[in-house]
């Protein structure tokens, strides 16, 4: 087995692992770590971001790359022999809605490389098991694929519309129980070398203000391996359970769409939706997870009826968009999406703060950064029927930029007239629908 997995280039080895996983579906694979060699680590190093912040060892990607061959060989030897020591992640915080802060972990660069290597290996195995309802952090799948699946379900699950169970898992990544996760991994990957390093990552803990702490729950914060472990966990806790146990017991059509820990259940009948909403807390509680009592709810998302639209249907949020019923150009009811108000506020707050802190930089340099931020915003939120939100975001970015250019000092004020003249030479990219229902492969302009 080791000889088979070690031969050939990386893509060939990945295919062989996937084929073996497919042939031995339902079995635990005991010897797959042999696929990871020096070439595999070089590919993992190539895939690892080089511009991230340094971890607890303060080593940058550039410093690690000065002696790349030597460092990767040492890493390989320590991984294979079990001598690898998983360092704690450096904890920092990023702002959240409502004035709160979200903890973020920063692993060391070498740890990222090894996590990427193990992720490549395990991904080949679990991609043979994962179901079509799962979209998050998977090769060839994206948040927009999940949004399209939800749109199709809400539009076509019934001629009357749908009932949607909107779910929020409280502190999911921090609440994954290690014992349950190990039990789930036992069902598919029992390779001692791989499992040993995963165990070390789970127990590495965090470093904050010089204090090292560990926990019996949660995946490595900020770790490359965390999204895959989360998918493995929820594949067992939610996906397979829902498809095998829940759907067959329901009366009408029901669709589950999950992106990482964000998911919705679209039901044809109200009775089915209420049954799902009642059983979900029990299922997640069995694995040490808790659903947010205020953010988990049942949404009546039926088509508006009557000449004037009838009773206005409720809306629900998923992956940064508010989903609501509107009318097409022909006057027919259609599900539309717009940027969530909270996401819009958070994005504009970030633009406002950036303009404030960088207002003394040369205007040309500011334009480059703002253009990149706008392209990034359009790249995600630029979907069909979201034109108004994109236009509003573009206008507010211009307003923030003019406001802080006006506070650079000097005798002349940055009036709107002067700012309009400035924009002729330092143009910002205009709003654009990138993910069009009518132009499936659209891409943002450079």
């Amino acid at each position: 087995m080791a000889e088979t997995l070690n031969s050939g280039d990386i893509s060939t080895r990945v295919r062989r692992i996937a084929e073996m996983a497919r042939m031995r579906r339902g079995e635990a694979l005991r010897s797959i770590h042999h696929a990871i060699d020096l070439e595999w680590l070089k590919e993992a190093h190539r895939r690892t971001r080089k511009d991230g912040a340094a971890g607890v060892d303060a080593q940058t990607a550039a410093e690690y790359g000065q002696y790349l061959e030597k460092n990767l060989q040492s890493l390989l030897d320590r991984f294979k022999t079990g001598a690898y020591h998983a360092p704690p992640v450096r904890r920092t915080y990023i702002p959240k809605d409502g004035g709160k802060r979200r903890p973020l972990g920063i692993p060391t660069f070498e740890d990222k490389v090894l996590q990427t290597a193990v992720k490549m290996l395990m991904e080949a195995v679990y991609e043979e098991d994962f179901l079509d309802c799962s979209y998050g952090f998977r090769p060839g799948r994206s948040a927009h694929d999940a949004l399209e699946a939800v749109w199709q379900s809400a539009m076509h699950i019934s001629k009357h519309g749908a009932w949607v169970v909107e779910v929020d898992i409280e502190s999911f990544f921090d609440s994954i129980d290690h014992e349950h996760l190990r039990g789930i991994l036992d069902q598919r990957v029992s390779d001692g070398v791989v499992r040993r390093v995963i165990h070390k990552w789970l127990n590495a803990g965090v470093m904050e203000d010089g204090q090292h702490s560990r926990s019996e729950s949660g995946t490595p914060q900020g770790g490359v391996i965390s999204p895959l472990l989360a998918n493995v966990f929820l594949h067992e806790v939610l996906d397979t359970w829902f498809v095998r146990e829940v759907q067959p017991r329901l009366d009408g059509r029901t669709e589950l769409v999950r992106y990482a820990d964000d998911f919705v259940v679209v039901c044809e009948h109200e009775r089915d939706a209420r049954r799902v909403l009642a059983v979900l807390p029990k299922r997640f509680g069995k694995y040490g997870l808790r659903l947010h009592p205020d953010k988990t709810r049942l949404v009546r998302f039926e088509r508006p009826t009557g000449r004037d639209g009838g009773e206005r249907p409720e809306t629900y949020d998923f992956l940064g968009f508010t989903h609501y019923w509107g009318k097409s150009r022909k006057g027919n009811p259609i599900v539309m999406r717009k940027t969530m108000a909270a996401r819009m506020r958070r994005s504009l707050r970030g633009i406002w703060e950036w303009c404030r802190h960088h207002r003394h930089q040369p205007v040309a340099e500011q334009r480059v950064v703002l253009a990149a931020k706008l392209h990034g915003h359009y790249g995600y939120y630029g979907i069909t029927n979201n034109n108004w939100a994109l236009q509003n975001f573009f206008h507010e970015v211009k307003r923030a930029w003019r406001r802080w250019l006006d506070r650079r000092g000097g005798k002349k004020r940055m009036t709107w007239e002067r700012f309009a003249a400035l924009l002729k030479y330092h143009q910002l990219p205009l709003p654009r629908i990138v993910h069009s229902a009518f132009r499936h492969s659209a891409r943002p302009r450079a």
Side-chain angles (χ1 to χ4, degrees):
M1 182 65 67
E3 182 179 352
T4 302
L5 294 181
N6 258 328
S7 57
D9 59 19
I10 304 301
S11 60
T12 301
R13 273 182 271 172
V14 168
R15 286 195 299 269
R16 287 174 178 168
I17 296 169
E19 182 180 356
M20 180 174 64
R22 186 164 54 251
M23 293 175 60
R24 299 172 60 182
R25 197 180 301 276
E27 298 180 29
L29 305 181
R30 298 184 178 182
S31 184
I32 57 175
H33 74 274
H34 302 290
I36 299 181
D37 58 9
L38 188 59
E39 293 304 313
W40 189 286
L41 286 182
K42 287 181 180 179
E43 175 62 17
H45 174 268
R46 186 188 69 81
R47 297 186 186 187
T48 304
R49 285 186 55 184
K50 311 299 190 298
D51 57 349
V56 293
D57 61 354
Q59 186 179 46
T60 65
E63 293 169 345
Y64 192 84
Q66 290 179 355
Y67 305 97
L68 183 61
E69 190 97 10
K70 179 181 177 181
N71 288 334
L72 292 182
Q73 185 62 57
S74 171
L75 177 61
L76 179 65
D77 294 340
R78 284 176 283 140
F79 166 68
K80 292 291 182 73
T81 61
Y84 180 76
H85 172 71
V89 298
R90 180 170 66 86
R91 175 175 282 174
T92 184
Y93 293 89
I94 56 176
K96 247 183 105 175
D97 296 331
K100 298 180 181 179
R101 297 191 304 165
R102 182 192 300 274
L104 178 68
I106 304 176
T108 64
F109 181 77
E110 183 176 68
D111 208 40
K112 293 178 185 176
V113 173
L114 185 56
Q115 287 191 30
T116 301
V118 173
K119 172 180 174 287
M120 290 163 54
L121 183 68
M122 294 185 62
E123 201 169 62
V125 174
Y126 279 102
E127 277 300 312
E128 298 302 317
D129 297 346
F130 288 157
L131 304 181
D132 286 340
C133 61
S134 168
Y135 291 88
F137 304 103
R138 293 183 58 189
R141 292 186 163 219
S142 69
H144 292 96
D145 294 326
L147 288 166
E148 175 66 16
V150 170
W151 187 88
Q152 292 288 348
S153 297
M155 279 291 296
H156 304 299
I157 201 167
S158 162
K159 65 179 181 179
H160 301 296
W163 289 78
V164 178
V165 181
E166 183 183 352
V167 184
D168 183 271
I169 308 174
E170 279 192 317
S171 304
F172 170 69
F173 284 92
D174 295 330
S175 304
I176 296 178
D177 183 80
H178 292 175
E179 200 61 37
H180 283 305
L181 177 59
R182 293 188 186 100
I184 292 171
L185 290 171
D186 286 341
Q187 301 173 23
R188 205 65 174 107
V189 176
S190 58
D191 184 299
V193 176
V194 173
R195 293 298 302 279
R196 180 170 55 208
V197 75
I198 291 177
H199 175 79
K200 290 180 179 181
W201 283 325
L202 293 175
N203 289 277
V206 298
M207 185 73 72
E208 182 177 9
D209 297 329
Q211 299 295 319
H212 184 201
S213 61
R214 291 187 175 91
S215 174
E216 292 301 316
S217 62
T219 55
Q221 291 186 8
V224 179
I225 199 71
S226 291
L228 177 60
L229 294 179
N231 269 339
V232 170
F233 194 78
L234 285 177
H235 171 73
E236 175 68 21
V237 174
L238 177 63
D239 300 351
T240 56
W241 165 77
F242 187 85
V243 171
R244 296 174 186 175
E245 303 293 332
V246 178
Q247 277 184 323
R249 292 176 167 83
L250 301 177
D251 298 326
R253 293 178 56 193
T254 308
E255 299 291 341
L256 166 69
V257 179
R258 180 176 67 81
Y259 187 90
D261 61 321
D262 293 326
F263 71 94
V264 294
V265 182
V266 184
C267 302
E268 180 181 0
H269 302 312
E270 178 183 2
R271 181 171 178 269
D272 289 340
R274 294 193 180 280
R275 292 171 66 187
V276 171
L277 184 61
V279 75
L280 278 175
K282 302 174 185 176
R283 176 64 179 180
F284 280 89
K286 179 180 177 182
Y287 290 88
L289 299 176
R290 184 172 180 264
L291 303 186
H292 197 293
D294 299 324
K295 297 181 181 180
T296 300
R297 63 193 184 104
L298 178 62
V299 178
R300 184 189 65 83
F301 201 68
E302 294 182 315
R303 293 173 185 259
T305 58
R307 187 173 181 179
D308 297 325
E311 184 181 352
R312 188 178 183 87
E314 298 178 64
T315 66
Y316 67 94
D317 297 329
F318 184 58
L319 297 181
F321 292 91
T322 296
H323 300 242
Y324 65 100
W325 280 101
K327 286 187 177 182
S328 68
R329 292 180 179 178
K330 295 182 179 180
N332 299 320
I334 187 174
V335 176
M336 295 184 172
R337 287 82 54 91
K338 62 181 179 181
T339 308
M340 285 173 52
R343 294 291 184 91
M344 178 73 82
R345 289 193 298 269
R346 186 173 68 186
S347 298
L348 289 175
R349 186 163 56 245
I351 293 288
W352 191 271
E353 288 300 313
W354 189 90
C355 290
R356 181 168 72 92
H357 291 297
H358 297 83
R359 64 185 183 272
H360 294 296
Q361 286 186 356
V363 171
E365 294 181 9
Q366 293 187 47
R367 183 265 168 196
V368 170
V369 175
L370 289 174
K373 291 179 180 294
L374 283 168
H375 275 310
H377 189 86
Y378 302 157
Y380 186 77
Y381 292 103
I383 66 174
T384 302
N385 298 321
N386 198 30
N387 309 66
W388 182 88
L390 295 182
Q391 292 285 350
N392 186 45
F393 185 80
F394 177 66
H395 174 73
E396 291 298 323
V397 169
K398 290 193 298 181
R399 195 168 73 89
W401 196 19
R402 188 208 68 82
R403 168 80 176 246
W404 289 108
L405 287 178
D406 190 39
R407 281 154 178 74
R408 281 157 57 107
K411 297 180 179 179
K412 292 186 178 181
R413 299 290 304 273
M414 180 57 70
T415 63
W416 276 105
E417 290 75 15
R418 286 191 65 208
F419 186 64
L422 179 145
L423 287 178
K424 291 181 179 179
Y425 296 96
H426 302 282
Q427 296 180 6
L428 294 175
L430 297 174
R432 180 167 181 254
I433 299 299
V434 178
H435 305 277
S436 171
F438 312 103
R439 192 178 64 251
H440 186 68
S441 60
R443 294 181 181 275
R445 293 190 180 96

